[in-house]
Amino acid sequence: RPAAPRAPRTAAEGNAAEAEITAQATSPRGLVRMAVPMSFGIAHLSPVLPEFMRRYPDIALEVDFDDGLAGLVGGGFDLALRISALADSSLLARRLCGVRVLLVATPEYLDARGRPRHPRELADHSALFYTLSGFGNPWRYQHLRHGDFSISVQAPLRVNNAEAINPALLAGQGLALQPEFLVWREIKAGKLEVVMPDWSSPPIGLHVVTPPGRVRPARVQVLIDHLVRKFEKAPWADRSE
């Protein structure tokens, strides 16, 4: 009999806990830490964050812009964006879209130095080289009929940030392998020309990755859903498989 008054309080506490879970699902809150490549993050992630912040005012974002591969678990990040041919790992990955890597140069550079038709001709050209691209030197190309071909290139400019290549590229100082999201506007405007369109670099994609073996909080999931909506229809996204 003395224990009877405790029951309503227990039920009330259970209802409160359930209400809190429901509130978290409908109005997520808390801190989300994410790591993103610098050039992509500044140019394409930053513009989609204000809408997310308006929609989820109780979520705080901490974004680490770094072209290096920051450790997801060791760095304490909830998620990261990776632009690569994602290697097998224990990380959980979702492909948001494909990213074409295009060989580009200014029309003026190509008028002066010639328009390569085969990768072997790149030996006579100046390359502007992004050292963290993962493509390395030699550059590797694929062709539907002619197969694979690799060529070592001369690189008068080597940088560890892809966006830093564009000023020299647009000044006609060489040609470069650039992700389409960094050059699509210049291609559309005729400032850059795609070289050897019949040859392609190994395919890569934009992925969101999360640490393994943990329950994904609602605040992380709603951010992932937002990124999916924004990037799967981006004007530079490659939606072919």
Side-chain angles (χ1 to χ4, degrees):
R1 302 265 180 210
R6 176 64 182 161
R9 290 202 303 271
T10 301
E13 290 166 358
N15 291 337
E18 184 176 347
E20 174 64 21
I21 294 173
T22 302
Q24 276 284 349
T26 57
S27 181
R29 60 178 57 88
L31 174 66
V32 178
R33 300 186 69 239
M34 65 185 303
V36 300
M38 183 173 291
S39 294
F40 177 84
I42 293 172
H44 298 288
L45 174 69
S46 295
V48 307
L49 293 182
E51 179 183 335
F52 179 83
M53 295 168 69
R54 286 192 297 269
R55 186 171 182 181
Y56 298 102
D58 295 326
I59 296 179
L61 299 175
E62 183 177 325
V63 185
D64 186 82
F65 295 94
D66 190 348
D67 281 349
L69 297 179
L72 211 61
V73 178
F77 295 103
D78 297 294
L79 72 156
L81 293 180
R82 294 282 184 262
I83 302 172
S84 63
L86 203 62
D88 292 337
S89 72
S90 61
L91 299 177
L92 304 177
R94 176 171 180 175
R95 185 180 184 271
L96 302 183
C97 63
V99 177
R100 293 190 298 173
V101 178
L102 305 174
L103 182 64
V104 292
T106 62
E108 294 78 12
Y109 171 88
L110 296 170
D111 288 343
R113 299 287 296 271
R115 286 170 169 77
R117 301 296 181 218
H118 190 282
R120 69 170 66 94
E121 299 173 33
L122 296 178
D124 300 323
H125 285 265
S126 298
L128 308 173
F129 200 80
Y130 173 43
T131 58
L132 298 181
S133 68
F135 291 108
N137 193 2
W139 282 347
R140 300 182 302 279
Y141 290 92
Q142 302 169 341
H143 193 281
L144 288 176
R145 289 186 293 109
H146 302 305
D148 298 342
F149 194 92
S150 298
I151 182 71
S152 294
V153 293
Q154 303 175 50
L157 177 65
R158 299 168 62 88
V159 299
N160 65 354
N161 178 273
E163 195 172 15
I165 289 175
N166 276 3
L169 179 64
L170 291 168
Q173 294 301 306
L175 40 73
L177 276 174
Q178 288 285 67
E180 190 169 7
F181 63 77
L182 281 182
V183 293
W184 72 277
R185 290 187 178 89
E186 289 78 6
I187 293 171
K188 187 176 181 180
K191 295 178 180 179
L192 291 175
E193 183 177 321
V194 177
V195 182
M196 300 190 316
D198 293 338
W199 291 83
S200 61
S201 298
I204 62 174
L206 171 64
H207 301 84
V208 57
V209 296
T210 54
R214 69 170 66 168
V215 176
R216 186 177 293 165
R219 62 183 180 273
V220 175
Q221 186 59 56
V222 294
L223 178 56
I224 291 174
D225 293 342
H226 180 73
L227 298 178
V228 169
R229 289 192 299 271
K230 290 300 180 181
F231 292 136
E232 68 181 357
K233 296 181 180 180
W236 43 264
D238 181 10
R239 286 169 283 276
S240 62
E241 293 293 338

